[in-house]
Amino acid sequence: MSTSSHSYPMSSGEDQHSYIHNSSYQKAGINGVEERIKQAILEKLDLQLNSSISNFTIADFGCSIGPNTFHAVQSIIDTVKFQHLKQNNETNIVPLEFQVFFNDQSNNDFNKLFKTRPLSSECQYFLAGVPGSFYGRVLPRNSIHIGHTSYTNHWLSKVPEHVCNRESPAWNKNYIQCNNLIEEVTKAYKVQFIKDMEVFLEARAEELVHGGLMIVIGQCLPDGVPLYETWQGHVVETIGDCLMDMAKTGITSEEKIELFSFPVYFPQFSELKRTIEENGSFMIEMIETISHPFENMRLTNEFITSMFRAFLTTMIEQHFGNGVVDELFNRLAQKLSKHPIDFEMWKTQVVYYVVLKRK
Amino acid sequence: MSTSSHSYPMSSGEDQHSYIHNSSYQKAGINGVEERIKQAILEKLDLQLNSSISNFTIADFGCSIGPNTFHAVQSIIDTVKFQHLKQNNETNIVPLEFQVFFNDQSNNDFNKLFKTRPLSSECQYFLAGVPGSFYGRVLPRNSIHIGHTSYTNHWLSKVPEHVCNRESPAWNKNYIQCNNLIEEVTKAYKVQFIKDMEVFLEARAEELVHGGLMIVIGQCLPDGVPLYETWQGHVVETIGDCLMDMAKTGITSEEKIELFSFPVYFPQFSELKRTIEENGSFMIEMIETISHPFENMRLTNEFITSMFRAFLTTMIEQHFGNGVVDELFNRLAQKLSKHPIDFEMWKTQVVYYVVLKRK
C-alpha cells in the first residue's frame, strides 16, 4: 500500500452493504452526546446573534453520504434557532438564514448526498457540497460559525511511513491495523495522528469566525487500554486472520497482506486531549467521554459484519481488488459464528466529544 | 410530456456524445463576449474592494459539468484580482480569498463536475456545489458579489401549459419546439419565459450584495426574426421530421410526438430587454448583442449533430425512452448529409450579454 495521501469513502449506493444502511452504530454514538452538544451550544455560543448576523453558516467536515450528517446539522440548527429567539426577544426579528457546507473527499458520492438530503419543503437551510480533504483548507477564512465533525479523525491522511516496510522496526508484519502490539508501529501511527490533528485544527481555526464553535465527536480508547484488548480491535484482527486464510488458498498472498495496513488510528483519551490542548487557536469548552450507547447491547454477528464491511470495503477493494470483499466478509461471518464475541471479556472503545471555541 | 417542473442535465460522462466534449459552440459564444464582460467588471464593480472585504464570492447558476463554467469563473477571478490590486495600491495588502458556488439542478452530475475541476495546485478558489433549480433561491441573502449565468435562461422551468393539449388553441401539433409558427404557442412560451425570468432575477436580487454584479449571457433571436427562419430552428425542425419518420416505422408514435415539446424558448432581443428592464432590483449597466463568433464558419454536419445531441439527449430519452436517441441522431446526420444547411440562406441567433448591478 502506498503511503501517499489517499481517501476511502464509505460504501456508496443503497444496497444492503452501503454506509447509508450501516451507519447506525456511529449514529448511536452521535445521538448519545447530542443533548450535551446542544447544551454546550446554548451555553457557549455568543455571536451577538442579533441583527448583526443574518446568515448563519455551519460546516460538517467528513460528512460522507448521510443520513447521520443531516441529523447532526438539523440538531445544530434547531439549537441555534432557539438561542437566536431567546437572545432576540422581539416579535419582528428577521429570521436567520442558514447555509450548510457538507465537506468530504472529492471521491465522496456527492450526487448521492444531494439526492438523499431532506425534502426541499422540510429543508431549512441552503446546502452546498465542498469536495476536498479536511486535512487542509476547504473554506474561506473567517466564514463558518459552527464546524462539526463526527467519526472522522481516526482516518489518517495516509498510512504512516515504514509501517509497510519489511526493513523498518516500525514494520506492522501481517497485521492490518495499528493494534498496539508493536511499540514502534504504535509510535509511527501516533506521530501521524498528532500531525494530522494539528493540520485539521489549524485549517478549522482559519475557517471559523472568532467565537465560533468547533464540535468534534469520535471514538477513542480509554486510557491504558490497547486496541488489541477491545472487541473492535478483535474484529479487525479476525478480518486479518481471514485474509491470511485466503492467502493460503491463493485468493490473495501473504506479501500483499504485509504491504497493507489501515490508515486508521484510535488514540487513547489522554493522547487525544493533549493533542487538542497543544493547539493554540481554540479554547477547550468541553472534552469528555461517554460509554457507547450500544455497550450493554448484544450486537449480532450480522450487525458487526455489516458495520465493518461498510467501513472498510473501499480500502480493501483498492488494495486487494474487487473480487475479495464478498469472500472476506463471508469468512468473517463464519468465524464470528463459530467463535461469537464474548462482550463481557473484551474491553471497548468510548465515545469522545469535544467543543472548542475559536479564540 | 408533463408540464410540471423538470430538469434535463446536459449529457454526462466523457464519451464522444457528452456535453463536456460538445460545448465548444457555447464556449465560443461566451469567449466572444469575455473581454466586454471583463471591461464591465472593471468599470462597474465598486465594492470598496479594500480591507473591508476579505472573501469574495462568485456563483455560476446553471453550471452544468464543465469545462465552460471553470473558464468563466477563472476569467471573473482574474479580473477582480486585477481590480483589487489596482484599488489597493499597497504592497502588503492581504490577498482576497475567493469562494465559488457552482449551482445546477439536483440531478446534475456534481461528482463529474468536482472531478474535472482545475487541479488543486492551480485552483485559486474554494469550490462548493449547490444543487437546486435557479428558478428559486439557492443561496443565502446578501451573500454573493458576482453572479454569472450563461446559456441557461432559454431553459424554462416547465413546458407551458396547453402546448401539449390537443384541445387548446395553444396546442403545438407535432412540432417539438416553439418555432414561432403558431401564434398562440409563441404566446404561451413567452408568458412562461417572462415569469421564469422574473423569478430568476428576484432570487438573484436577494442573493447578491448591494452593488454586486449579475452577468447573464445567452442566445436570442434578432428582433423581427422568428425561430423557424434560423438555421438553429431548422435543425430542431429536422429532428422533429426524423421523429415523424420514426413514428411511421413504429419506433415511436405520432401521439407521443404530439405530447412532446421542448421547455426551451428563445426570445427576440427586445423581448428579453423589456423583461429585464421591468425588474426593479437591478440597474442595467450593459445589454447588447454580438454575432456568434462561428457565424461565418461553415459548421460541419458532424459538429451540428453532436452539439444538438449533447443539448437535447436527456429530454428526448425521458420522453421517448433510451433506445431512440442513437437512431434519431443517425437519421439527423443522414438528413443533413442529403440536404446540407445553406448558411447563406438561413438567418441565425445572436449572442446577448447583460451586466446588471444590484441596487
Side-chain angles (χ1 to χ4, degrees):
Chain A
M1 175 181 262
S2 155
T3 55
S4 68
S5 185
H6 273 290
S7 75
Y8 308 93
M10 299 296 97
S11 286
S12 186
E14 291 185 61
D15 71 5
Q16 55 170 336
H17 302 307
S18 69
Y19 182 74
I20 259 179
H21 292 154
N22 293 288
S23 49
S24 60
Y25 187 84
Q26 290 86 341
K27 184 170 198 305
I30 298 164
N31 286 354
V33 302
E34 186 174 344
E35 287 309 314
R36 289 169 173 85
I37 297 294
K38 282 185 167 185
Q39 203 53 43
I41 294 174
L42 291 175
E43 284 168 18
K44 308 298 180 186
L45 186 70
D46 177 22
L47 293 163
Q48 298 171 297
L49 283 177
N50 47 33
S51 55
S52 67
I53 294 182
S54 64
N55 299 327
F56 194 95
T57 49
I58 295 167
D60 188 28
F61 299 94
C63 62
S64 188
I65 49 173
N68 293 348
T69 186
F70 297 119
H71 181 84
V73 157
Q74 192 57 52
S75 173
I76 292 171
I77 289 177
D78 292 344
T79 312
V80 174
K81 272 189 180 170
F82 179 83
Q83 181 78 335
H84 183 236
L85 281 171
K86 214 175 80 181
Q87 290 191 359
N88 297 273
N89 204 3
E90 296 162 40
T91 44
N92 290 327
I93 58 162
V94 180
L96 281 180
E97 287 193 350
F98 289 87
Q99 185 173 37
V100 181
F101 295 93
F102 293 89
N103 157 259
D104 211 317
Q105 299 273 7
S106 300
N107 59 351
N108 185 53
D109 190 346
F110 284 93
N111 290 344
K112 168 74 62 191
L113 179 80
F114 293 164
K115 202 178 143 195
T116 54
R117 69 186 164 146
L119 294 173
S120 57
S121 58
E122 294 164 15
C123 194
Q124 299 156 359
Y125 50 86
F126 298 105
L127 174 151
V130 176
S133 166
F134 56 48
Y135 291 127
R137 290 280 304 283
V138 291
L139 290 161
R141 63 191 157 215
N142 208 22
S143 68
I144 300 296
H145 295 108
I146 294 187
H148 177 272
T149 194
S150 68
Y151 281 81
T152 59
N153 291 110
H154 51 269
W155 291 99
L156 303 182
S157 65
K158 60 179 187 177
V159 181
E161 283 176 41
H162 308 308
V163 157
C164 298
N165 176 3
R166 274 175 164 274
E167 310 303 321
S168 165
W171 180 41
N172 203 17
K173 298 185 179 166
N174 52 29
Y175 298 124
I176 61 170
Q177 67 177 340
C178 175
N179 55 17
N180 304 130
L181 273 170
I182 305 169
E183 199 177 331
E184 289 293 329
V185 172
T186 302
K187 202 175 148 193
Y189 268 93
K190 187 175 171 169
V191 165
Q192 187 63 49
F193 173 77
I194 291 173
K195 202 171 148 189
D196 283 344
M197 202 67 192
E198 279 170 5
V199 170
F200 179 86
L201 291 175
E202 271 171 34
R204 302 300 82 78
E206 291 198 60
E207 292 163 352
L208 261 71
V209 302
H210 293 284
L213 301 181
M214 182 68 215
I215 298 158
V216 186
I217 301 169
Q219 283 198 190
C220 66
L221 294 162
D223 284 345
V225 174
L227 189 65
Y228 65 79
E229 286 185 6
T230 68
W231 70 264
Q232 291 96 340
H234 168 65
V235 172
V236 178
E237 289 303 294
T238 309
I239 294 172
D241 293 345
C242 295
L243 278 170
M244 289 300 282
D245 292 347
M246 286 163 72
K248 280 173 201 144
T249 66
I251 304 173
T252 186
S253 69
E254 205 164 323
E255 291 70 35
K256 219 163 184 175
I257 298 167
E258 288 174 0
L259 291 173
F260 182 73
S261 204
F262 287 124
V264 168
Y265 179 71
F266 291 101
Q268 295 188 3
F269 180 60
S270 58
E271 253 177 82
L272 173 80
K273 200 171 167 195
R274 209 173 313 120
T275 308
I276 291 177
E277 280 167 354
E278 276 170 16
N279 174 284
S281 305
F282 291 99
M283 288 177 298
I284 300 179
E285 299 288 354
M286 187 181 271
I287 182 161
E288 290 171 23
T289 64
I290 60 161
S291 304
H292 192 282
F294 286 0
E295 194 188 334
N296 296 318
M297 283 172 64
R298 213 185 132 62
L299 302 178
T300 66
N301 290 338
E302 200 188 344
F303 183 91
I304 294 166
T305 307
S306 298
M307 174 174 107
F308 279 86
R309 181 175 178 143
F311 171 44
L312 302 175
T313 284
T314 316
M315 277 184 298
I316 290 167
E317 270 181 356
Q318 280 195 21
H319 186 77
F320 292 99
N322 285 337
V324 169
V325 170
D326 278 340
E327 172 79 18
L328 178 61
F329 286 94
N330 287 342
R331 283 175 183 259
L332 174 65
Q334 283 166 23
K335 266 203 205 295
L336 290 177
S337 171
K338 269 190 204 157
H339 309 287
I341 296 172
D342 179 355
F343 288 97
E344 306 278 310
M345 196 189 93
W346 292 98
K347 293 180 178 158
T348 185
Q349 295 179 356
V350 290
V351 179
Y352 67 81
Y353 55 104
V354 181
V355 178
L356 306 173
K357 185 184 264 195
R358 179 71 174 99
K359 286 179 188 169
Chain B
M1 176 180 261
S2 154
T3 55
S4 68
S5 185
H6 272 289
S7 75
Y8 308 94
M10 300 295 98
S11 287
S12 186
E14 291 186 61
D15 71 4
Q16 55 170 334
H17 302 306
S18 69
Y19 182 74
I20 260 180
H21 292 152
N22 293 287
S23 50
S24 59
Y25 187 83
Q26 290 86 340
K27 185 171 197 300
I30 298 164
N31 286 355
V33 302
E34 186 174 344
E35 286 309 314
R36 291 169 172 87
I37 297 293
K38 282 185 168 185
Q39 202 54 42
I41 295 174
L42 291 176
E43 285 168 19
K44 308 297 179 186
L45 185 70
D46 177 22
L47 294 162
Q48 298 171 297
L49 284 177
N50 47 34
S51 54
S52 67
I53 294 182
S54 63
N55 298 328
F56 194 95
T57 49
I58 296 167
D60 187 29
F61 300 94
C63 63
S64 187
I65 49 173
N68 293 348
T69 186
F70 297 119
H71 181 84
V73 157
Q74 193 56 53
S75 172
I76 293 171
I77 289 176
D78 291 344
T79 313
V80 174
K81 272 190 180 169
F82 178 83
Q83 181 79 335
H84 183 236
L85 281 171
K86 214 175 79 182
Q87 289 190 359
N88 297 274
N89 205 3
E90 296 162 39
T91 43
N92 290 327
I93 58 162
V94 180
L96 282 179
E97 287 193 350
F98 289 87
Q99 184 173 37
V100 181
F101 295 93
F102 292 90
N103 157 259
D104 211 317
Q105 299 273 8
S106 300
N107 60 350
N108 184 53
D109 190 346
F110 284 93
N111 290 344
K112 169 73 64 191
L113 180 79
F114 293 163
K115 202 179 143 195
T116 54
R117 69 185 162 144
L119 294 172
S120 57
S121 57
E122 294 166 13
C123 195
Q124 300 155 358
Y125 50 86
F126 298 107
L127 173 151
V130 175
S133 166
F134 57 47
Y135 291 127
R137 291 278 304 283
V138 291
L139 291 161
R141 62 191 159 217
N142 209 22
S143 69
I144 299 296
H145 295 107
I146 293 187
H148 177 272
T149 193
S150 66
Y151 281 82
T152 59
N153 290 109
H154 51 269
W155 289 101
L156 303 182
S157 66
K158 61 179 186 176
V159 181
E161 283 177 40
H162 307 309
V163 158
C164 299
N165 175 3
R166 274 174 163 277
E167 311 303 321
S168 165
W171 179 42
N172 203 17
K173 299 186 178 166
N174 53 28
Y175 299 123
I176 59 170
Q177 67 176 341
C178 175
N179 55 17
N180 304 131
L181 273 171
I182 304 169
E183 199 177 330
E184 288 294 330
V185 173
T186 301
K187 202 174 147 194
Y189 267 94
K190 187 174 171 169
V191 166
Q192 187 64 50
F193 173 77
I194 291 172
K195 202 171 148 191
D196 283 344
M197 202 66 192
E198 278 170 5
V199 171
F200 179 86
L201 291 175
E202 270 170 35
R204 301 301 81 78
E206 290 198 62
E207 293 164 351
L208 261 71
V209 301
H210 293 283
L213 300 181
M214 182 68 215
I215 298 159
V216 185
I217 301 169
Q219 282 198 190
C220 66
L221 294 162
D223 283 345
V225 175
L227 190 65
Y228 64 79
E229 286 185 6
T230 67
W231 71 263
Q232 291 96 340
H234 168 65
V235 172
V236 177
E237 288 304 294
T238 310
I239 294 171
D241 294 345
C242 294
L243 279 169
M244 289 300 281
D245 292 346
M246 286 162 72
K248 280 174 201 144
T249 65
I251 303 174
T252 185
S253 69
E254 206 165 324
E255 291 70 35
K256 219 163 184 176
I257 298 167
E258 287 174 359
L259 291 174
F260 182 73
S261 204
F262 287 123
V264 168
Y265 180 70
F266 291 102
Q268 294 187 4
F269 180 59
S270 58
E271 253 177 85
L272 172 80
K273 200 171 168 195
R274 210 173 312 121
T275 308
I276 291 176
E277 280 167 353
E278 276 170 17
N279 176 284
S281 304
F282 291 99
M283 289 178 297
I284 300 179
E285 299 289 354
M286 187 181 270
I287 182 161
E288 290 171 24
T289 64
I290 59 159
S291 304
H292 191 282
F294 286 180
E295 193 187 333
N296 297 318
M297 282 172 65
R298 211 183 134 64
L299 301 178
T300 65
N301 290 337
E302 199 188 344
F303 183 91
I304 293 166
T305 307
S306 298
M307 174 173 107
F308 279 86
R309 181 175 179 144
F311 171 44
L312 302 174
T313 284
T314 316
M315 278 184 298
I316 290 167
E317 269 180 356
Q318 281 196 20
H319 186 76
F320 293 98
N322 285 338
V324 169
V325 170
D326 279 340
E327 171 79 18
L328 178 61
F329 285 94
N330 287 342
R331 283 175 183 259
L332 174 66
Q334 282 166 23
K335 266 204 206 294
L336 290 177
S337 171
K338 270 190 203 156
H339 309 286
I341 296 172
D342 179 355
F343 287 97
E344 306 278 310
M345 195 189 93
W346 293 98
K347 292 179 179 160
T348 185
Q349 295 178 356
V350 290
V351 179
Y352 68 79
Y353 56 105
V354 181
V355 178
L356 306 173
K357 185 184 263 194
R358 180 73 174 96
K359 286 177 186 168

